Amino acid sequence: MIWRKKSPEPPAEAPAPVIPPAALTIDALGRKCPIPIIMLAERVGEVPVGAVISVLADDPAAFTDVPAWCRLKSHQHVESYELPQGGWAIHVRRQY
Amino acid sequence: MAYLDAASTEPLHPAAREALLAALDVGWADPARLYGSARRARLLLDQARAEIAEVLGARPDELSFTTSGTQAVHLGVLGALQGRRRAGRHLVVSAVEHSSVLHAAGVHEGAGGSVQTIGVAITGRVDLPAFAEAVAAEGVAAAALQTANHEVGTLQPVAEAAEACRAAGVPLVVDAAQSAGRLPIPPGWSVLTASAHKWGGPAGVGVLAVRKGTRWRSPYPEDERELRRVPGYENVPAVVAAAAALRARAAESAAENARLSALVDRIRAEVPRRVPDVEVIGDPVDRLPHLVTFSCLYVDGEVLLTELDKAGFAVSSGSSCTASTLRPSHVLEAMGVLTHGNVRVSLPRGIPEDDVERFLTVLPDIVRRVRQRLGVQ
């Protein structure tokens, strides 16, 4: 029972969570770490400061690594939304 | 080859090699029998037990030998739970315990028990108030906390956690595998486990100590060996060697710890200065003297380890990208730090300072090349 960080499961009755729109979506589904982070670092400059990038990833490492990248590079991790097909939409706000 | 992976296993201490060879000749007989050669083996075994007990702060009759640190943890955790069946079925553990603790917890869960995992700070140190609150709840059978984390070196507040456990009447299982022989064992444990090959003893010797007055019941079928706590024939020569190594380490530790700790401080300071986009993780002060871990952004940990091996450096990694495991390290994940590009450097006793300097010299270019291959500028 290795401990894993899990997103809270939505209540059974609730409708699927609505993922807010993002200025740019990076599709890193099927890509292993550290590729999702590399894709994010390459493209963060494409959106204006204050805009949100959505990183789609299903490597479990990305769930920890994208927020850790935000902390190291002083960007903001907004939220990670679970995708219906598995994986997450990890939202990052460009800060500078 | 510069060996920088003492946390996986410490090279055999010269004192242990000498003791092992001597004990192979005189300590081979069955220590449970009554003739001369058997009594000699018994004497060697009990003397080694007394010596190890003294260094670890236990009584000789509290201490049994297992075949590994992992077996000691399995017996320690499951035996403590078994001994407290009537009190409850709830186990409290930190999120960054060694996999042997978490796998024993998994067995407990599979048998209908419950397990509560307490989170850690970004340094890897357990949330002490949350741990204390959890052990004070109704129905807690046992709790487990490591002395120091095996992946990042952070020391855990074991004495404080033990105090909370004592107040709640809950036994605390302390896994001291990474610190035994290097640092004093913190007070307050009910069950203590350790592993001889981590302190320079031979492989195949673990230590399980059960404090007098602790309710503990072996999860295994009954056996007469090792004060009825561990089944199977004792490896007397290896135990004798383990004691010799521990005694030697305890005598050397003050001077050698200070030397290794200064080298670790140098690595902690120099790696982020020489390599861009690196984070040194774990507590910078409350840490093991010989271990440091850092994570490099935009680097595949397995490739980095392979390149370091080619350059003559043996290091380890908790990265998800390594080897067969598809999941990131549960320790790094619980801390919320980068799980990729992770390198653990752990210094063995007597390592030449020059090995560390050469490591610091070659690392920047190796990281740069690995990043280049991934298309990172």
Side-chain angles (χ1 to χ4, degrees):
Chain A
M1 62 129 270
I2 300 290
W3 180 83
R4 298 291 177 197
K5 202 172 274 181
K6 289 191 196 91
S7 315
E9 280 182 32
E13 306 295 314
V18 181
I19 301 176
L24 172 70
T25 297
I26 297 172
D27 184 356
L29 293 167
R31 309 298 299 271
K32 292 279 166 214
C33 77
I35 303 298
I37 307 286
I38 293 174
M39 294 168 80
L40 171 60
E42 264 171 11
R43 303 194 60 189
V44 65
E46 290 178 21
V47 302
V49 172
V52 170
I53 299 173
S54 179
V55 182
L56 310 182
D58 51 11
D59 180 358
F63 186 80
T64 304
D65 284 1
V66 174
W69 178 87
C70 291
R71 182 173 53 75
L72 292 174
K73 304 305 276 181
S74 304
H75 291 294
Q76 186 196 355
H77 171 232
V78 182
E79 184 70 74
S80 297
Y81 305 94
E82 247 174 89
L83 298 172
Q85 73 272 31
W88 304 270
I90 308 170
H91 282 204
V92 172
R93 191 184 308 281
R94 181 181 172 193
Q95 296 287 71
Y96 57 88
Chain B
M1 166 65 79
Y3 184 72
L4 307 177
D5 195 21
S8 289
T9 193
E10 176 79 22
L12 193 66
H13 195 288
R17 171 184 291 272
E18 200 180 313
L20 182 62
L21 292 174
L24 283 170
D25 288 333
V26 296
W28 54 271
D30 184 346
R33 302 292 170 252
L34 295 175
Y35 36 81
S37 50
R39 290 200 308 273
R40 254 197 316 278
R42 165 59 58 188
L43 210 66
L44 285 172
L45 180 62
D46 285 343
Q47 195 181 336
R49 191 187 315 279
E51 287 170 1
I52 291 176
E54 193 190 340
V55 175
L56 300 184
R59 283 170 40 163
D61 60 352
E62 291 174 335
L63 195 146
S64 302
F65 295 109
T66 64
T67 58
S68 68
T70 293
Q71 191 196 31
V73 165
H74 290 167
L75 279 169
V77 171
L78 295 176
L81 289 166
Q82 187 79 2
R84 293 258 302 165
R85 277 184 74 96
R86 292 204 183 123
R89 302 296 310 280
H90 196 58
L91 171 67
V92 175
V93 300
S94 91
V96 296
E97 294 301 305
H98 186 262
S99 58
S100 58
V101 173
L102 300 180
H103 287 144
V107 166
H108 177 62
E109 248 181 349
S114 56
V115 178
Q116 186 176 356
T117 307
I118 308 300
V120 299
I122 198 158
T123 58
R125 183 182 153 105
V126 72
D127 180 346
L128 185 61
F131 194 92
E133 193 188 326
V135 298
E138 186 94 6
V140 177
L145 184 62
Q146 61 195 184
T147 52
N149 185 265
H150 50 292
E151 283 189 38
V152 301
T154 299
L155 300 182
Q156 300 293 354
V158 169
E160 294 87 336
E163 186 49 40
C165 285
R166 195 197 55 77
V170 169
L172 179 65
V173 181
V174 173
D175 165 20
Q178 288 300 337
S179 74
R182 301 176 189 279
L183 299 173
I185 303 294
W189 51 267
S190 305
V191 174
L192 180 76
T193 64
S195 175
H197 75 96
K198 306 276 193 204
W199 71 57
V205 180
V207 169
L208 169 70
V210 180
R211 196 57 108 190
K212 276 276 166 288
T214 300
R215 294 183 69 89
W216 183 92
R217 218 188 133 132
S218 174
Y220 282 163
E222 191 173 305
D223 195 88
E224 296 292 316
R225 302 273 167 177
E226 282 306 292
L227 302 120
R228 304 182 144 224
R229 294 192 196 105
V230 187
Y233 186 73
E234 298 92 341
N235 186 348
V236 175
V239 166
V240 168
L246 187 61
R247 227 174 35 231
R249 280 311 285 263
E252 298 162 357
S253 71
E256 187 62 354
N257 281 358
R259 193 182 75 89
L260 296 183
S261 191
L263 290 174
V264 162
D265 277 339
R266 176 151 175 79
I267 297 170
R268 292 190 73 99
E270 285 301 310
V271 168
R273 212 174 61 75
R274 299 186 188 195
V275 184
D277 289 322
V278 164
E279 183 177 36
V280 182
I281 58 180
D283 197 295
V285 179
D286 285 331
R287 60 165 173 79
L288 289 169
H290 65 300
L291 194 155
V292 50
T293 299
F294 55 88
S295 294
C296 309
L297 269 173
Y298 321 127
V299 162
D300 178 331
E302 190 179 45
V303 175
L304 186 54
L305 257 52
T306 308
E307 290 302 317
L308 282 166
D309 178 42
K310 280 190 210 157
F313 295 93
V315 295
S316 163
S317 168
S319 289
S320 56
C321 311
T322 59
S324 53
T325 162
L326 294 172
R327 300 296 312 232
S329 141
H330 70 277
V331 172
L332 304 178
E333 206 178 41
M335 291 166 64
V337 296
L338 279 185
T339 67
H340 72 257
N342 180 264
V343 176
R344 179 184 73 180
V345 175
S346 50
L347 307 177
R349 153 191 180 278
I351 186 177
E353 198 179 321
D354 185 52
D355 282 3
V356 172
E357 288 309 319
R358 281 192 301 116
F359 177 77
L360 290 171
T361 304
V362 303
L363 182 71
D365 195 50
I366 289 178
V367 173
R368 192 183 53 75
R369 277 189 283 126
V370 173
R371 283 177 175 158
Q372 215 165 35
R373 225 179 298 166
L374 283 166
V376 180
Q377 294 313 310

PDB file of all heavy atoms in Angstrom, chain B residues 223-249:
ATOM      1  N   ASP B 223       8.818 -21.101  16.610  1.00  0.00           N
ATOM      2  CA  ASP B 223      10.174 -21.616  16.433  1.00  0.00           C
ATOM      3  C   ASP B 223      10.966 -21.244  17.676  1.00  0.00           C
ATOM      4  O   ASP B 223      10.732 -20.213  18.291  1.00  0.00           O
ATOM      5  CB  ASP B 223      10.816 -20.990  15.168  1.00  0.00           C
ATOM      6  CG  ASP B 223      12.062 -21.739  14.737  1.00  0.00           C
ATOM      7  OD1 ASP B 223      11.917 -22.709  13.963  1.00  0.00           O
ATOM      8  OD2 ASP B 223      13.162 -21.378  15.178  1.00  0.00           O
ATOM      9  N   GLU B 224      11.915 -22.112  18.029  1.00  0.00           N
ATOM     10  CA  GLU B 224      12.649 -21.916  19.287  1.00  0.00           C
ATOM     11  C   GLU B 224      13.769 -20.884  19.168  1.00  0.00           C
ATOM     12  O   GLU B 224      14.271 -20.388  20.164  1.00  0.00           O
ATOM     13  CB  GLU B 224      13.272 -23.244  19.736  1.00  0.00           C
ATOM     14  CG  GLU B 224      12.251 -24.324  20.062  1.00  0.00           C
ATOM     15  CD  GLU B 224      11.446 -23.980  21.302  1.00  0.00           C
ATOM     16  OE1 GLU B 224      12.052 -23.526  22.293  1.00  0.00           O
ATOM     17  OE2 GLU B 224      10.215 -24.145  21.277  1.00  0.00           O
ATOM     18  N   ARG B 225      14.186 -20.591  17.936  1.00  0.00           N
ATOM     19  CA  ARG B 225      15.397 -19.788  17.748  1.00  0.00           C
ATOM     20  C   ARG B 225      15.190 -18.325  18.129  1.00  0.00           C
ATOM     21  O   ARG B 225      14.085 -17.810  18.089  1.00  0.00           O
ATOM     22  CB  ARG B 225      15.839 -19.867  16.277  1.00  0.00           C
ATOM     23  CG  ARG B 225      16.117 -21.270  15.790  1.00  0.00           C
ATOM     24  CD  ARG B 225      17.531 -21.682  16.068  1.00  0.00           C
ATOM     25  NE  ARG B 225      17.686 -23.131  15.873  1.00  0.00           N
ATOM     26  CZ  ARG B 225      18.830 -23.770  15.981  1.00  0.00           C
ATOM     27  NH1 ARG B 225      19.927 -23.112  16.294  1.00  0.00           N
ATOM     28  NH2 ARG B 225      18.898 -25.062  15.808  1.00  0.00           N
ATOM     29  N   GLU B 226      16.304 -17.658  18.422  1.00  0.00           N
ATOM     30  CA  GLU B 226      16.318 -16.195  18.606  1.00  0.00           C
ATOM     31  C   GLU B 226      15.217 -15.709  19.550  1.00  0.00           C
ATOM     32  O   GLU B 226      14.402 -14.857  19.194  1.00  0.00           O
ATOM     33  CB  GLU B 226      16.244 -15.488  17.249  1.00  0.00           C
ATOM     34  CG  GLU B 226      17.566 -15.489  16.519  1.00  0.00           C
ATOM     35  CD  GLU B 226      18.693 -14.906  17.365  1.00  0.00           C
ATOM     36  OE1 GLU B 226      18.675 -13.715  17.633  1.00  0.00           O
ATOM     37  OE2 GLU B 226      19.583 -15.688  17.778  1.00  0.00           O
ATOM     38  N   LEU B 227      15.213 -16.264  20.751  1.00  0.00           N
ATOM     39  CA  LEU B 227      14.261 -15.882  21.807  1.00  0.00           C
ATOM     40  C   LEU B 227      12.822 -16.000  21.311  1.00  0.00           C
ATOM     41  O   LEU B 227      11.969 -15.219  21.673  1.00  0.00           O
ATOM     42  CB  LEU B 227      14.579 -14.474  22.319  1.00  0.00           C
ATOM     43  CG  LEU B 227      15.995 -14.328  22.864  1.00  0.00           C
ATOM     44  CD1 LEU B 227      16.797 -13.286  22.098  1.00  0.00           C
ATOM     45  CD2 LEU B 227      16.001 -13.974  24.343  1.00  0.00           C
ATOM     46  N   ARG B 228      12.602 -16.944  20.408  1.00  0.00           N
ATOM     47  CA  ARG B 228      11.282 -17.266  19.852  1.00  0.00           C
ATOM     48  C   ARG B 228      10.693 -16.155  18.995  1.00  0.00           C
ATOM     49  O   ARG B 228       9.493 -16.136  18.718  1.00  0.00           O
ATOM     50  CB  ARG B 228      10.284 -17.611  20.975  1.00  0.00           C
ATOM     51  CG  ARG B 228      10.785 -18.731  21.848  1.00  0.00           C
ATOM     52  CD  ARG B 228       9.769 -19.079  22.908  1.00  0.00           C
ATOM     53  NE  ARG B 228       9.817 -20.519  23.106  1.00  0.00           N
ATOM     54  CZ  ARG B 228       8.774 -21.302  23.215  1.00  0.00           C
ATOM     55  NH1 ARG B 228       7.563 -20.796  23.113  1.00  0.00           N
ATOM     56  NH2 ARG B 228       8.908 -22.578  23.399  1.00  0.00           N
ATOM     57  N   ARG B 229      11.542 -15.213  18.610  1.00  0.00           N
ATOM     58  CA  ARG B 229      11.013 -14.104  17.805  1.00  0.00           C
ATOM     59  C   ARG B 229      11.248 -14.310  16.321  1.00  0.00           C
ATOM     60  O   ARG B 229      10.494 -13.800  15.492  1.00  0.00           O
ATOM     61  CB  ARG B 229      11.675 -12.777  18.228  1.00  0.00           C
ATOM     62  CG  ARG B 229      11.307 -12.348  19.642  1.00  0.00           C
ATOM     63  CD  ARG B 229      11.722 -10.920  19.917  1.00  0.00           C
ATOM     64  NE  ARG B 229      11.714 -10.687  21.354  1.00  0.00           N
ATOM     65  CZ  ARG B 229      12.817 -10.607  22.099  1.00  0.00           C
ATOM     66  NH1 ARG B 229      14.011 -10.699  21.538  1.00  0.00           N
ATOM     67  NH2 ARG B 229      12.724 -10.422  23.394  1.00  0.00           N
ATOM     68  N   VAL B 230      12.329 -15.021  15.952  1.00  0.00           N
ATOM     69  CA  VAL B 230      12.682 -15.165  14.535  1.00  0.00           C
ATOM     70  C   VAL B 230      12.930 -16.641  14.232  1.00  0.00           C
ATOM     71  O   VAL B 230      13.717 -17.279  14.927  1.00  0.00           O
ATOM     72  CB  VAL B 230      13.966 -14.366  14.199  1.00  0.00           C
ATOM     73  CG1 VAL B 230      14.232 -14.378  12.702  1.00  0.00           C
ATOM     74  CG2 VAL B 230      13.854 -12.937  14.712  1.00  0.00           C
ATOM     75  N   PRO B 231      12.265 -17.172  13.211  1.00  0.00           N
ATOM     76  CA  PRO B 231      12.462 -18.582  12.907  1.00  0.00           C
ATOM     77  C   PRO B 231      13.761 -18.828  12.144  1.00  0.00           C
ATOM     78  O   PRO B 231      14.239 -17.955  11.422  1.00  0.00           O
ATOM     79  CB  PRO B 231      11.257 -18.913  12.024  1.00  0.00           C
ATOM     80  CG  PRO B 231      10.928 -17.632  11.347  1.00  0.00           C
ATOM     81  CD  PRO B 231      11.286 -16.533  12.310  1.00  0.00           C
ATOM     82  N   GLY B 232      14.329 -19.998  12.336  1.00  0.00           N
ATOM     83  CA  GLY B 232      15.448 -20.423  11.493  1.00  0.00           C
ATOM     84  C   GLY B 232      16.804 -20.362  12.173  1.00  0.00           C
ATOM     85  O   GLY B 232      17.013 -19.668  13.162  1.00  0.00           O
ATOM     86  N   TYR B 233      17.716 -21.113  11.597  1.00  0.00           N
ATOM     87  CA  TYR B 233      19.064 -21.295  12.121  1.00  0.00           C
ATOM     88  C   TYR B 233      19.873 -20.003  12.020  1.00  0.00           C
ATOM     89  O   TYR B 233      19.917 -19.375  10.966  1.00  0.00           O
ATOM     90  CB  TYR B 233      19.739 -22.402  11.305  1.00  0.00           C
ATOM     91  CG  TYR B 233      21.091 -22.836  11.786  1.00  0.00           C
ATOM     92  CD1 TYR B 233      21.219 -23.601  12.947  1.00  0.00           C
ATOM     93  CD2 TYR B 233      22.237 -22.504  11.077  1.00  0.00           C
ATOM     94  CE1 TYR B 233      22.467 -24.013  13.377  1.00  0.00           C
ATOM     95  CE2 TYR B 233      23.484 -22.916  11.505  1.00  0.00           C
ATOM     96  CZ  TYR B 233      23.598 -23.664  12.652  1.00  0.00           C
ATOM     97  OH  TYR B 233      24.829 -24.074  13.087  1.00  0.00           O
ATOM     98  N   GLU B 234      20.527 -19.620  13.113  1.00  0.00           N
ATOM     99  CA  GLU B 234      21.275 -18.360  13.142  1.00  0.00           C
ATOM    100  C   GLU B 234      22.557 -18.453  12.304  1.00  0.00           C
ATOM    101  O   GLU B 234      23.234 -19.469  12.310  1.00  0.00           O
ATOM    102  CB  GLU B 234      21.680 -17.998  14.574  1.00  0.00           C
ATOM    103  CG  GLU B 234      20.527 -17.767  15.522  1.00  0.00           C
ATOM    104  CD  GLU B 234      20.113 -19.025  16.284  1.00  0.00           C
ATOM    105  OE1 GLU B 234      20.463 -20.138  15.835  1.00  0.00           O
ATOM    106  OE2 GLU B 234      19.435 -18.889  17.314  1.00  0.00           O
ATOM    107  N   ASN B 235      22.893 -17.361  11.636  1.00  0.00           N
ATOM    108  CA  ASN B 235      24.165 -17.256  10.911  1.00  0.00           C
ATOM    109  C   ASN B 235      25.184 -16.626  11.864  1.00  0.00           C
ATOM    110  O   ASN B 235      25.432 -15.417  11.835  1.00  0.00           O
ATOM    111  CB  ASN B 235      23.955 -16.405   9.659  1.00  0.00           C
ATOM    112  CG  ASN B 235      25.183 -16.369   8.780  1.00  0.00           C
ATOM    113  OD1 ASN B 235      26.269 -16.786   9.191  1.00  0.00           O
ATOM    114  ND2 ASN B 235      25.012 -15.861   7.571  1.00  0.00           N
ATOM    115  N   VAL B 236      25.756 -17.463  12.722  1.00  0.00           N
ATOM    116  CA  VAL B 236      26.622 -16.948  13.792  1.00  0.00           C
ATOM    117  C   VAL B 236      27.824 -16.161  13.247  1.00  0.00           C
ATOM    118  O   VAL B 236      28.092 -15.048  13.719  1.00  0.00           O
ATOM    119  CB  VAL B 236      27.061 -18.089  14.742  1.00  0.00           C
ATOM    120  CG1 VAL B 236      28.069 -17.584  15.779  1.00  0.00           C
ATOM    121  CG2 VAL B 236      25.841 -18.695  15.438  1.00  0.00           C
ATOM    122  N   PRO B 237      28.569 -16.689  12.251  1.00  0.00           N
ATOM    123  CA  PRO B 237      29.715 -15.911  11.765  1.00  0.00           C
ATOM    124  C   PRO B 237      29.321 -14.519  11.254  1.00  0.00           C
ATOM    125  O   PRO B 237      30.012 -13.536  11.522  1.00  0.00           O
ATOM    126  CB  PRO B 237      30.278 -16.784  10.637  1.00  0.00           C
ATOM    127  CG  PRO B 237      29.867 -18.176  11.000  1.00  0.00           C
ATOM    128  CD  PRO B 237      28.511 -18.029  11.625  1.00  0.00           C
ATOM    129  N   ALA B 238      28.207 -14.442  10.537  1.00  0.00           N
ATOM    130  CA  ALA B 238      27.779 -13.138  10.007  1.00  0.00           C
ATOM    131  C   ALA B 238      27.365 -12.204  11.141  1.00  0.00           C
ATOM    132  O   ALA B 238      27.632 -10.997  11.095  1.00  0.00           O
ATOM    133  CB  ALA B 238      26.627 -13.325   9.020  1.00  0.00           C
ATOM    134  N   VAL B 239      26.709 -12.745  12.163  1.00  0.00           N
ATOM    135  CA  VAL B 239      26.298 -11.922  13.303  1.00  0.00           C
ATOM    136  C   VAL B 239      27.534 -11.387  14.035  1.00  0.00           C
ATOM    137  O   VAL B 239      27.589 -10.210  14.437  1.00  0.00           O
ATOM    138  CB  VAL B 239      25.391 -12.737  14.255  1.00  0.00           C
ATOM    139  CG1 VAL B 239      25.241 -12.035  15.598  1.00  0.00           C
ATOM    140  CG2 VAL B 239      24.025 -12.974  13.615  1.00  0.00           C
ATOM    141  N   VAL B 240      28.540 -12.238  14.197  1.00  0.00           N
ATOM    142  CA  VAL B 240      29.791 -11.823  14.850  1.00  0.00           C
ATOM    143  C   VAL B 240      30.437 -10.682  14.046  1.00  0.00           C
ATOM    144  O   VAL B 240      30.895  -9.676  14.609  1.00  0.00           O
ATOM    145  CB  VAL B 240      30.756 -13.027  14.978  1.00  0.00           C
ATOM    146  CG1 VAL B 240      32.154 -12.559  15.385  1.00  0.00           C
ATOM    147  CG2 VAL B 240      30.205 -14.031  15.988  1.00  0.00           C
ATOM    148  N   ALA B 241      30.432 -10.829  12.721  1.00  0.00           N
ATOM    149  CA  ALA B 241      31.008  -9.789  11.860  1.00  0.00           C
ATOM    150  C   ALA B 241      30.196  -8.498  11.953  1.00  0.00           C
ATOM    151  O   ALA B 241      30.758  -7.395  11.956  1.00  0.00           O
ATOM    152  CB  ALA B 241      31.058 -10.288  10.421  1.00  0.00           C
ATOM    153  N   ALA B 242      28.878  -8.631  12.030  1.00  0.00           N
ATOM    154  CA  ALA B 242      28.005  -7.450  12.151  1.00  0.00           C
ATOM    155  C   ALA B 242      28.329  -6.685  13.430  1.00  0.00           C
ATOM    156  O   ALA B 242      28.375  -5.440  13.425  1.00  0.00           O
ATOM    157  CB  ALA B 242      26.538  -7.880  12.146  1.00  0.00           C
ATOM    158  N   ALA B 243      28.567  -7.426  14.511  1.00  0.00           N
ATOM    159  CA  ALA B 243      28.892  -6.774  15.787  1.00  0.00           C
ATOM    160  C   ALA B 243      30.238  -6.071  15.707  1.00  0.00           C
ATOM    161  O   ALA B 243      30.399  -4.950  16.209  1.00  0.00           O
ATOM    162  CB  ALA B 243      28.893  -7.809  16.918  1.00  0.00           C
ATOM    163  N   ALA B 244      31.206  -6.724  15.057  1.00  0.00           N
ATOM    164  CA  ALA B 244      32.531  -6.109  14.928  1.00  0.00           C
ATOM    165  C   ALA B 244      32.453  -4.813  14.137  1.00  0.00           C
ATOM    166  O   ALA B 244      33.077  -3.800  14.490  1.00  0.00           O
ATOM    167  CB  ALA B 244      33.489  -7.088  14.252  1.00  0.00           C
ATOM    168  N   ALA B 245      31.648  -4.834  13.055  1.00  0.00           N
ATOM    169  CA  ALA B 245      31.500  -3.627  12.237  1.00  0.00           C
ATOM    170  C   ALA B 245      30.827  -2.515  13.033  1.00  0.00           C
ATOM    171  O   ALA B 245      31.249  -1.357  12.980  1.00  0.00           O
ATOM    172  CB  ALA B 245      30.679  -3.943  10.985  1.00  0.00           C
ATOM    173  N   LEU B 246      29.801  -2.859  13.783  1.00  0.00           N
ATOM    174  CA  LEU B 246      29.054  -1.839  14.523  1.00  0.00           C
ATOM    175  C   LEU B 246      29.924  -1.210  15.610  1.00  0.00           C
ATOM    176  O   LEU B 246      29.907   0.004  15.809  1.00  0.00           O
ATOM    177  CB  LEU B 246      27.783  -2.440  15.139  1.00  0.00           C
ATOM    178  CG  LEU B 246      26.842  -1.432  15.800  1.00  0.00           C
ATOM    179  CD1 LEU B 246      26.331  -0.396  14.799  1.00  0.00           C
ATOM    180  CD2 LEU B 246      25.653  -2.128  16.468  1.00  0.00           C
ATOM    181  N   ARG B 247      30.687  -2.070  16.287  1.00  0.00           N
ATOM    182  CA  ARG B 247      31.580  -1.568  17.320  1.00  0.00           C
ATOM    183  C   ARG B 247      32.604  -0.594  16.728  1.00  0.00           C
ATOM    184  O   ARG B 247      32.836   0.496  17.251  1.00  0.00           O
ATOM    185  CB  ARG B 247      32.315  -2.754  17.952  1.00  0.00           C
ATOM    186  CG  ARG B 247      32.344  -2.739  19.457  1.00  0.00           C
ATOM    187  CD  ARG B 247      32.961  -4.009  20.022  1.00  0.00           C
ATOM    188  NE  ARG B 247      34.041  -4.568  19.230  1.00  0.00           N
ATOM    189  CZ  ARG B 247      34.082  -5.851  18.854  1.00  0.00           C
ATOM    190  NH1 ARG B 247      33.118  -6.684  19.185  1.00  0.00           N
ATOM    191  NH2 ARG B 247      35.106  -6.305  18.145  1.00  0.00           N
ATOM    192  N   ALA B 248      33.175  -1.004  15.587  1.00  0.00           N
ATOM    193  CA  ALA B 248      34.177  -0.152  14.934  1.00  0.00           C
ATOM    194  C   ALA B 248      33.551   1.159  14.470  1.00  0.00           C
ATOM    195  O   ALA B 248      34.115   2.244  14.651  1.00  0.00           O
ATOM    196  CB  ALA B 248      34.804  -0.897  13.753  1.00  0.00           C
ATOM    197  N   ARG B 249      32.346   1.059  13.872  1.00  0.00           N
ATOM    198  CA  ARG B 249      31.667   2.260  13.389  1.00  0.00           C
ATOM    199  C   ARG B 249      31.352   3.217  14.519  1.00  0.00           C
ATOM    200  O   ARG B 249      31.506   4.432  14.391  1.00  0.00           O
ATOM    201  CB  ARG B 249      30.369   1.894  12.665  1.00  0.00           C
ATOM    202  CG  ARG B 249      30.532   1.422  11.252  1.00  0.00           C
ATOM    203  CD  ARG B 249      31.403   2.331  10.441  1.00  0.00           C
ATOM    204  NE  ARG B 249      30.733   3.573  10.064  1.00  0.00           N
ATOM    205  CZ  ARG B 249      30.155   3.759   8.891  1.00  0.00           C
ATOM    206  NH1 ARG B 249      30.157   2.816   7.990  1.00  0.00           N
ATOM    207  NH2 ARG B 249      29.578   4.905   8.612  1.00  0.00           N
TER     208      ARG B 249
END
